[in-house]
Amino acid sequence: MKKIVTTTLLLTCFIAFSQQKTIDQKVDALLKRMTLEEKIGQLNQYTGDNAATGPITINPNKQSEIKTGLNGSMLNVLGTQHTRQYQELAMQSRLKIPLLFGQDVIHGYKTTFPIPLAEAASWDLDAMELSARIAATEAAASGIHWTFAPMVDIARDPRWGRVMEGAGEDTYLGSRIAYARVKGFQGKLGDVNSVMACVKHFAAYGAAIGGRDYNSVDMSERMLWETYLPPFKAALDAGAATFMNSFNDLNGIPATGNKYLQRDILKGKWNFKGFVVSDWGSIGEMINHGYVKDSKEAALAAITAGSDMDMESNAYRYNLAQLVKEKKVPIALIDDAVKRILRKKFELGLFEDPYKYSNPEREQAALNNPEHRKAAREIAAKSIVLLKNEKSVLPISKQTKTIAFIGPLVKERKQNMGFWSVELPEVDYDKHVISQWEGLQNKVGNTAKLLYAKGCEIEGDNKDGFAEAIAIANQADVVILSIGERRDMSGEAKSRSNLRLSGVQEELIKAIQATGKPVVVLINAGRPLIFNWTADNVPAILYTWWLGSEAGNAIADVLFGDYNPSGKLPMSFPREEGQIPIYYNHFNTGRPAKNENETNYVSAYTDLKNSPKFPFGYGLSYTTFEYSNLKLSKNKIKSTEKITVSLNVTNSGKVAGEEVVQLYLRDKVGSVIRPIIELKDFQKIKLNAGQTKTIKFSIDKEKISFYNANLQWVAEPGDFDVMIGSSSADIRLKDSFELLN
Ligand code: BGC
């Protein structure tokens, strides 16, 4: 038996090796036939006719350039018909090298899933992998080969609008999610249901100073390695085919022209074999950064640094040939970049069939397929976070006679889709997006009377609608208020200094709360917002983010208890903007406050608590969970040994529910100081009412290692706290162990 297994294994390795070898041989053979212009063409990417996702440069010659082999990739070209038209142009070129079609398929394609930050709140890695898989299936059926996702930038600053696109503030959670998403998108590359992933933005874009998009980043090497790089490495370990560099400068050097990031770390130390695409126009933007004087110098800096493909800045297209002729760019650099790109085109099977991903029948069957919609509804429900539930306002009883549904987002469809959803024709929003109003109607049918009033707009100070809203609230047994952000209020270039609920929305909440009726507030947003009055006064709050096509149904599932909420916040929610950046895994400092009221000569604000309004990892359920019986298999270990941590979790409430059991560690003393608490593992478990499960975690050397002052990954002897929590601020069980010399 063992022999058979070994032989099969060897055979599989041999086949994989020889396939790769043939691809390499094919790439080499093709490269030999290419002119310098054709090679540079492969390094160029143009935007197509769909909504532009950056400042567009008008080029009337795109089509003829494709026909002459001067462009290798397009973004923003959607659909089998459209992609086929462009591919047909490429097939007229001398060498018939197929185009690669890239697209921001960030949270679903036609079936739109919750925004990535919302999905991260589910802490459900399988669900996130599935969501990426479905997005890939739909996109790949629609002619797309490549998604510009996942975004794995760690984000500790909710002023930065792009927090909606990532997995939040935590490196460990972010790394697990990055891995799952790459696996989901790519499946088995070359399969018609898969797309290449593009891990972005390399690197440290999430640390833009002041949360202002595109701003500079200044951070220590240790911070870079410990906090910002691990999700990229995790995505690479999952097999990510491509990386995107980024707009920001890192310690004074634009990421796009940053050799240390791209050549030394990514292609050197990490041995990345795929290719790097620039961010939109980011090669040309190095002129604005003041790093290069013109487009020619920009091209030189970018190719030297390891940027393989130029998205929309035309710097490669117009300068690389000259730079090669002047011997400033060795042809080997160009060849390396071209080979990386061609290899992917071969791996995708595009040379065998350039229209492989443009199949109208498959497209018809895949888009908004009922199975996909079902998954979208499930993950949308899992992404919702129950922030507050007093007086058992939730779940709403299905016997309730009259329900008032109030707010500017109740009847919206498009807003549920969130930023970075793939633009749909207007009619498709009506056809394919479930509004919250429809979701409620679907849920209660004729059993309850539903009343609606808009109340106010998302922005502006008009309160004319308040009277009607108050009137219907007075007639109802329960009031649901749906407020928050428009979908273009969080996203790229959507930084904000003020995170309050916009317009008169919080005043509307106050007016409705004053009726004395039980009130549930739904907050739809792409980032943590500040809503202190609501949080302190309204009995029930659900953070519903932007949940996608099935938002309405998913919200109704949670409102009525058909799904028991299980989401946990992937970012800390600040009390005031003045606390930002705010994150749970901070250092203790030399003068930590003993409690929230102490301010004198301690590290605290004199006018504000240090703690967030809602902490990382926080989220309630309609049931309760008790934690007990924490056991560590050992209290002293050598670095080669492992500790098994076991504990019991009991559902002590009356309904089934899911809990995210979180394992945190603290390294008490380090040659470099360590955070007061760090997430190191978690498990999402489902328990029936009254049921108890034993959970086991394993702690090994990897989990207690960190970068020392010399950037070595080390585990240092000493004491460690083990904390098991229902959130980062709700530690239920605690023990400790010692790592021996
Ligand atoms: C964004 C990228 C995106 C690209 C293409 C840029 O503005 O930063 O994340 O993939 O546009 O749309």
Side-chain angles (χ1 to χ4, degrees):
M1 182 66 189
K2 205 169 153 198
K3 208 169 158 194
I4 297 175
V5 174
T6 321
T7 320
T8 320
L9 210 71
L10 282 175
L11 204 64
T12 319
C13 289
F14 176 73
I15 292 170
F17 176 72
S18 46
Q19 270 170 356
Q20 187 57 46
K21 200 165 163 228
T22 25
I23 286 184
D24 286 345
Q25 282 166 347
K26 285 178 186 165
V27 167
D28 287 341
L30 180 55
L31 194 78
K32 284 204 184 97
R33 298 173 55 210
M34 293 171 80
T35 64
L36 179 60
E37 278 67 27
E38 283 166 338
K39 288 178 181 175
I40 293 167
Q42 287 305 304
L43 312 186
N44 194 48
Q45 185 185 55
Y46 283 139
T47 191
D49 319 309
N50 279 81
T53 43
I56 208 166
T57 44
I58 306 294
N59 176 356
N61 304 324
K62 278 181 196 170
Q63 306 215 348
S64 60
E65 289 181 17
I66 296 170
K67 279 200 226 167
T68 41
L70 299 182
N71 179 52
S73 175
M74 301 289 295
L75 75 152
N76 297 328
V77 179
L78 299 179
T80 49
Q81 215 189 341
H82 207 172
T83 46
R84 178 175 279 270
Q85 281 164 3
Y86 273 99
Q87 199 65 295
E88 280 168 355
L89 296 177
M91 288 305 108
Q92 292 173 43
S93 66
R94 190 178 75 91
L95 293 173
K96 301 191 177 9
I97 301 178
L99 289 170
L100 260 186
F101 295 105
Q103 182 67 32
D104 293 284
V105 182
I106 307 289
H107 51 110
Y109 185 65
K110 292 291 158 131
T111 302
T112 306
F113 286 84
I115 56 166
L117 185 64
E119 281 194 355
S122 75
W123 295 53
D124 188 328
L125 299 170
D126 292 341
M128 283 182 260
E129 185 171 334
L130 179 64
S131 144
R133 185 92 288 273
I134 291 172
T137 305
E138 291 197 4
S142 202
I144 309 295
H145 310 132
W146 178 25
T147 174
F148 302 129
M151 186 194 100
V152 305
D153 297 311
I154 293 300
R156 293 169 158 184
D157 190 332
R159 290 172 300 181
W160 190 48
R162 298 196 82 165
V163 300
M164 52 80 43
E165 237 182 291
E169 76 186 40
D170 186 59
T171 303
Y172 178 80
L173 179 61
S175 301
R176 299 281 304 266
I177 292 176
Y179 189 94
R181 286 188 167 142
V182 170
K183 286 280 179 207
F185 284 129
Q186 294 198 161
K188 193 175 159 296
L189 218 56
D191 181 280
V192 283
N193 293 321
S194 287
V195 293
M196 295 195 294
C198 182
V199 190
K200 66 191 192 184
H201 303 86
F202 200 63
Y205 182 37
I209 293 172
R212 209 183 68 213
D213 209 0
Y214 316 125
N215 204 1
S216 295
V217 173
D218 202 319
M219 70 167 60
S220 71
E221 273 292 289
R222 223 171 50 73
M223 172 81 90
L224 178 70
W225 280 94
E226 196 162 297
T227 306
Y228 287 83
L229 289 184
F232 288 97
K233 181 62 169 52
L236 183 63
D237 291 344
T242 75
F243 268 56
M244 184 185 290
N245 58 34
S246 103
F247 291 126
N248 58 286
D249 73 88
L250 175 63
N251 303 332
I253 299 180
T256 303
N258 201 311
K259 183 171 164 294
Y260 172 60
L261 285 175
Q262 297 171 98
R263 286 226 185 267
D264 300 350
I265 299 178
L266 182 59
K267 293 179 176 174
K269 195 175 165 66
W270 291 354
N271 200 22
F272 171 61
K273 295 288 181 220
F275 70 87
V276 179
V277 63
S278 79
D279 204 345
W280 181 297
S282 67
I283 298 182
E285 286 171 19
M286 289 195 286
I287 304 170
N288 287 342
H289 277 287
Y291 189 62
V292 292
K293 80 168 187 292
D294 54 22
S295 176
K296 189 172 172 191
E297 278 193 5
L300 174 61
I303 195 82
T304 309
S307 264
D308 300 306
M309 187 183 277
D310 175 355
M311 182 193 289
E312 268 294 315
S313 63
N314 287 306
Y316 283 3
R317 164 102 184 73
Y318 294 112
N319 300 294
L320 277 185
Q322 187 58 27
L323 285 163
V324 172
K325 281 174 199 140
E326 289 170 13
K327 301 209 169 355
K328 289 190 177 132
V329 170
I331 188 69
L333 275 195
I334 307 278
D335 285 353
D336 176 61
V338 175
K339 277 158 87 170
R340 286 169 181 269
I341 294 164
L342 291 180
R343 216 178 280 138
K344 293 301 162 204
K345 293 187 177 182
F346 275 107
E347 281 172 22
L348 288 168
L350 291 175
F351 282 95
E352 283 144 40
D353 177 5
Y355 308 107
K356 182 173 163 187
Y357 298 83
S358 297
N359 176 328
E361 286 82 49
R362 207 172 61 238
E363 182 178 42
Q364 183 71 23
L367 304 190
N368 278 307
N369 166 310
E371 282 300 310
H372 300 176
R373 301 291 300 227
K374 184 168 169 277
R377 179 173 180 164
E378 282 168 11
I379 189 157
K382 287 177 180 185
S383 304
I384 295 172
V385 183
L386 177 62
L387 292 181
K388 194 174 173 190
N389 191 19
E390 284 175 358
K391 303 179 198 151
S392 301
V393 171
L394 287 173
I396 299 171
S397 155
K398 286 186 182 155
Q399 269 71 55
T400 308
K401 291 209 171 56
T402 309
I403 302 170
F405 204 177
I406 297 171
L409 284 153
V410 174
K411 291 205 170 173
E412 282 293 340
R413 294 174 196 281
K414 208 169 175 175
Q415 304 309 333
N416 294 312
M417 304 294 265
F419 203 91
W420 283 126
S421 51
V422 173
E423 209 61 39
L424 302 179
E426 281 306 317
V427 291
D428 277 19
Y429 289 102
D430 292 341
K431 236 165 70 197
H432 295 301
V433 186
I434 310 291
S435 71
Q436 298 176 15
W437 178 249
E438 267 179 308
L440 188 65
Q441 284 178 320
N442 293 345
K443 183 63 71 185
V444 300
N446 297 326
T447 60
K449 189 170 164 198
L450 301 183
L451 306 171
Y452 164 74
K454 191 170 189 184
C456 65
E457 300 295 335
I458 292 172
E459 288 181 300
D461 54 9
N462 191 332
K463 297 188 195 168
D464 291 353
F466 277 29
E468 186 198 3
I470 294 166
I472 67 158
N474 278 322
Q475 295 167 42
D477 302 308
V478 60
V479 186
I480 312 164
L481 267 156
S482 184
I483 48 96
E485 290 189 310
R486 260 195 338 268
R487 70 176 192 150
D488 61 358
M489 288 168 81
S490 287
E492 184 176 347
K494 300 290 179 278
S495 294
R496 274 167 62 184
S497 63
N498 176 350
L499 301 181
R500 313 291 146 141
L501 288 171
S502 55
V504 291
Q505 296 187 98
E506 198 153 47
E507 287 180 61
L508 176 67
I509 299 172
K510 286 181 191 172
I512 300 299
Q513 173 77 3
T515 62
K517 297 287 180 170
V519 173
V520 182
V521 170
L522 311 177
I523 303 181
N524 308 272
R527 50 149 67 93
L529 290 175
I530 297 175
F531 43 93
N532 291 326
W533 189 92
T534 303
D536 294 341
N537 294 282
V538 169
I541 305 170
L542 288 166
Y543 215 76
T544 52
W545 316 98
W546 291 319
L547 294 175
S549 318
E550 287 287 336
N553 285 332
I555 289 172
D557 287 342
V558 169
L559 283 170
F560 291 86
D562 289 334
Y563 182 77
N564 185 354
S566 63
K568 302 272 188 179
L569 297 177
M571 279 187 86
S572 307
F573 276 42
R575 295 172 189 276
E576 304 285 342
E577 291 87 352
Q579 290 178 307
I580 298 171
I582 183 165
Y583 48 94
Y584 81 99
N585 47 351
H586 55 81
F587 296 135
N588 202 32
T589 80
R591 293 191 180 188
K594 279 195 281 305
N595 59 57
E596 297 261 50
N597 301 322
E598 194 188 13
T599 59
N600 211 15
Y601 296 111
V602 292
S603 179
Y605 299 103
T606 54
D607 58 351
L608 187 64
K609 290 180 177 175
N610 278 2
S611 64
K613 189 75 185 167
F614 296 104
F616 173 81
Y618 171 82
L620 303 172
S621 161
Y622 296 152
T623 187
T624 45
F625 299 98
E626 268 166 27
Y627 288 60
S628 62
N629 212 18
L630 176 64
K631 281 190 200 134
L632 269 53
S633 59
K634 294 181 184 126
N635 286 95
K636 286 185 197 297
I637 53 162
K638 296 190 201 114
S639 66
T640 49
E641 293 175 327
K642 290 181 180 174
I643 296 179
T644 303
V645 176
S646 70
L647 67 136
N648 290 346
V649 182
T650 303
N651 180 343
S652 48
K654 294 196 176 64
V655 290
E658 288 161 89
E659 171 72 325
V660 181
V661 182
Q662 301 159 40
L663 169 81
Y664 294 93
L665 295 180
R666 179 178 182 181
D667 184 345
K668 300 293 285 286
V669 176
S671 61
V672 166
I673 54 170
R674 308 301 308 143
I676 57 163
I677 180 167
E678 280 183 289
L679 183 73
K680 289 294 174 179
D681 211 343
F682 63 88
Q683 282 181 41
K684 186 162 188 171
I685 53 162
K686 186 166 186 181
L687 292 174
N688 292 325
Q691 192 186 353
T692 298
K693 265 190 192 163
T694 301
I695 311 294
K696 288 198 162 106
F697 293 109
S698 173
I699 300 177
D700 59 8
K701 188 177 173 200
E702 187 63 19
K703 284 205 160 69
I704 53 176
S705 294
F706 64 93
Y707 286 101
N708 69 11
N710 300 321
L711 292 182
Q712 291 153 327
W713 184 243
V714 293
E716 291 180 346
D719 294 329
F720 293 79
D721 285 339
V722 177
M723 294 162 275
I724 304 289
S726 178
S727 87
S728 62
D730 183 9
I731 299 303
R732 305 283 183 89
L733 303 168
K734 206 171 159 179
D735 202 340
S736 60
F737 68 90
E738 186 188 349
L739 176 67
L740 303 169
N741 271 317

